[in-house]
Amino acid sequence: DEYQLQDGIAAALDAAGIPYTREHRLTTKDRVDFLAGNVGIEVKVAGDKLALARQLQRYAHHPDIEHLVVVTTRRAHRGVHDAVFDGVPVHVVHLLGL
């Protein structure tokens, strides 16, 4: 599930010595799963591409975010790869076989 995937990402960031904040609050309504420097990392195992794009667009407005990475198990989410919202590039890591 999404929480197990987040735990795995946290372990990988820890192992690489990359400092991060988990569940970083951007606004009263928005929280990115991880903020590592100026990179927001969002983990998704459900939802559609349009909802994800709207969420990423909101995140891109925040001054702490300069890059967005989506880690997903959903093929549909690959459609936001290489998108740019307000100058913030989006990259998608699609995990297969989960």
Side-chain angles (χ1 to χ4, degrees), residues 40 42 44 48-50 52-54 56-57 67-72 74-85 88-95:
E42 185 63 20
K44 286 290 181 196
D48 64 32
K49 179 177 75 170
L50 185 57
L52 175 60
R54 285 192 301 258
L56 296 174
Q57 191 165 30
H67 303 274
L68 286 164
V69 175
V70 177
V71 179
T72 184
R74 302 222 2 129
R75 186 178 308 247
H77 292 157
R78 293 185 304 176
V80 297
H81 184 69
D82 291 334
V84 177
F85 298 107
V88 174
V90 177
H91 302 283
V92 175
V93 177
H94 181 224
L95 303 175

Side-chain angles (χ1 to χ4, degrees), residues 51-69:
L52 175 60
R54 285 192 301 258
Q55 182 180 17
L56 296 174
Q57 191 165 30
R58 289 193 314 271
Y59 290 0
H61 287 299
H62 195 275
D64 287 349
I65 302 288
E66 293 184 19
H67 303 274
L68 286 164
V69 175

